[in-house]
Amino acid sequence: MLHVAEQAFYDQVSERLRECDLIVAEGQPYADLPLHRRLARIRADGLVHQLVGLEVESLDIPVLWPDEDDETKPARWLNIVIDTVAAVPDWLMAIRWPGRAIDITDLTGHDGWAGGRAKTAWRRAILHDRDKQLLDCLARIHQERGKEPITVGVPWGAAHMIAVAGYLFSELGYRVVAAEWLNVRTAR
């Protein structure tokens, strides 16, 4: 999953998610991100942000949000701060560098905005700590429903899939039986 793509990509993802019994979504419920959603609608490159293009809550399928675990859920005032801090740099990068938005919108992969300790701390918080929350959630689903024939959709950023695939294969014994590629952007 990429956080920025053409709307057609998110439409295809939505079609696949409609076939799922459960969705494990990245981030927070969209109602908790009003500023980020508003700013995500403003793009200079013709692409769509995931917060706008993929509305998992509208699919009428149960959605789990590992980032919103009751033990780690921030207070309402902190949610507003997180929404603002996450939205503004994302929006500024889309406006300033519209031709490269796919490369830089996911701040964990952009080398120019922070370095050293700040970058390491950001990667730990955004990638590694959240990978753990996601894997813990998948472990709970496996433990509680592993004997049921269910399909679980995990529309998380591509960087998280390394940890997910490794965990599902090595720890839980799952294997790939089919794969399908989707186009994120049509060549122009």
Side-chain angles (χ1 to χ4, degrees), residues 5 13 32-33 53 75 88 90 101 106 121 140 168-169 179:
V13 170
D32 290 347
L33 302 170
V88 173
D90 197 25
D106 184 3
R140 280 192 306 275
L168 291 176
F169 300 157

Side-chain angles (χ1 to χ4, degrees), residues 26 68 76 162 177:
E26 181 174 16
E68 284 289 306
R76 180 70 189 140
I162 296 166
V177 294

Side-chain angles (χ1 to χ4, degrees), residues 87-137:
V88 173
D90 197 25
W91 177 72
L92 288 173
M93 286 185 203
I95 298 303
R96 185 166 177 195
W97 299 288
R100 294 188 52 216
I102 283 181
D103 295 336
I104 65 172
T105 300
D106 184 3
L107 297 178
T108 62
H110 181 55
D111 289 331
W113 77 277
R117 289 186 206 154
K119 181 178 177 183
T120 300
W122 181 259
R123 287 186 69 78
R124 184 176 53 250
I126 295 300
L127 188 62
H128 304 296
D129 292 352
R130 292 178 65 232
D131 283 352
K132 182 175 179 350
Q133 290 174 306
L134 174 56
L135 298 181
D136 288 348
C137 182

Side-chain angles (χ1 to χ4, degrees), residues 4-186:
V4 177
E6 290 180 342
Q7 183 60 51
F9 170 76
Y10 295 117
D11 293 344
Q12 292 176 61
V13 170
S14 293
E15 286 304 313
R16 281 148 185 83
L17 289 174
R18 281 187 181 88
E19 298 170 7
C20 295
D21 300 294
L22 180 65
I23 298 171
V24 180
E26 181 174 16
Q28 299 173 313
Y30 294 162
D32 290 347
L33 302 170
L35 178 62
H36 205 147
R37 283 184 57 93
R38 275 195 296 275
L39 290 179
R41 293 182 190 286
I42 304 169
R43 295 202 56 91
D45 56 8
L47 298 176
V48 178
H49 194 285
Q50 178 179 340
L51 286 172
V52 176
L54 180 64
E55 297 193 17
V56 296
E57 294 162 305
S58 71
L59 299 175
D60 292 327
I61 297 167
V63 180
L64 299 178
W65 302 89
D67 288 328
E68 284 289 306
D69 186 335
D70 286 338
E71 294 176 17
T72 60
K73 186 174 184 175
R76 180 70 189 140
W77 68 269
L78 186 54
N79 254 350
I80 294 168
V81 172
I82 291 169
D83 181 28
T84 304
V85 169
V88 173
D90 197 25
W91 177 72
L92 288 173
M93 286 185 203
I95 298 303
R96 185 166 177 195
W97 299 288
R100 294 188 52 216
I102 283 181
D103 295 336
I104 65 172
T105 300
D106 184 3
L107 297 178
T108 62
H110 181 55
D111 289 331
W113 77 277
R117 289 186 206 154
K119 181 178 177 183
T120 300
W122 181 259
R123 287 186 69 78
R124 184 176 53 250
I126 295 300
L127 188 62
H128 304 296
D129 292 352
R130 292 178 65 232
D131 283 352
K132 182 175 179 350
Q133 290 174 306
L134 174 56
L135 298 181
D136 288 348
C137 182
L138 295 176
R140 280 192 306 275
I141 294 167
H142 175 76
Q143 182 179 21
E144 294 169 8
R145 301 187 67 182
K147 299 207 184 307
E148 297 176 45
I150 64 169
T151 301
V152 179
V154 186
W156 277 57
H160 298 285
M161 292 302 106
I162 296 166
V164 169
Y167 182 72
L168 291 176
F169 300 157
S170 65
E171 299 296 321
L172 300 181
Y174 288 92
R175 60 188 174 86
V176 176
V177 294
E180 192 176 341
W181 289 93
L182 302 178
N183 288 330
V184 173
R185 185 172 194 169
T186 307

